[in-house]
Amino acid sequence: MVERPLVLVVSADCRLCDRARALLERLGIAFREVDLADDEAGELARRGVPVVFFPVLVDGEQVIAYGDISEAELRRALPVEIVA
């Protein structure tokens, strides 16, 4: 199975985005960040990924989690080898 890189779509001055970023880093989950204002966020929206509730964690095609993302939510949604 080919894993797609995780993308965290964030908005400026977003406390939930800061919390999600810190959680992903604490758990050692690799991700890249995309600002809502970037063209890539617009491309995700055009492909049908809802990028309206921040933050949004996607695997490139589907939403993994959004809003107030919790550790438990990530552990349920992600393969065990990704979540340390």
Side-chain angles (χ1 to χ4, degrees), residues 5-83:
L6 295 178
V7 175
L8 184 66
V9 181
V10 298
S11 180
D13 299 322
C14 170
R15 274 185 281 188
L16 291 178
C17 299
D18 294 341
R19 287 178 54 188
R21 183 183 303 111
L23 175 62
L24 290 166
E25 289 171 353
R26 181 173 60 81
L27 294 175
I29 298 172
F31 69 97
R32 32 185 209 92
E33 199 169 299
V34 172
D35 190 275
L36 174 64
D38 292 347
D39 290 340
E40 186 175 353
E43 179 57 32
L44 286 169
R46 282 188 288 284
R47 289 194 323 238
V49 175
V51 291
V52 294
F53 300 106
F54 304 105
V56 179
L57 183 65
V58 299
D59 71 357
E61 297 298 323
Q62 68 181 18
V63 173
I64 302 298
Y66 64 90
D68 192 6
I69 300 171
S70 71
E71 181 175 343
E73 184 177 15
L74 292 178
R75 289 191 183 281
R76 280 191 308 270
L78 295 172
V80 73
E81 61 271 8
I82 291 179
V83 183

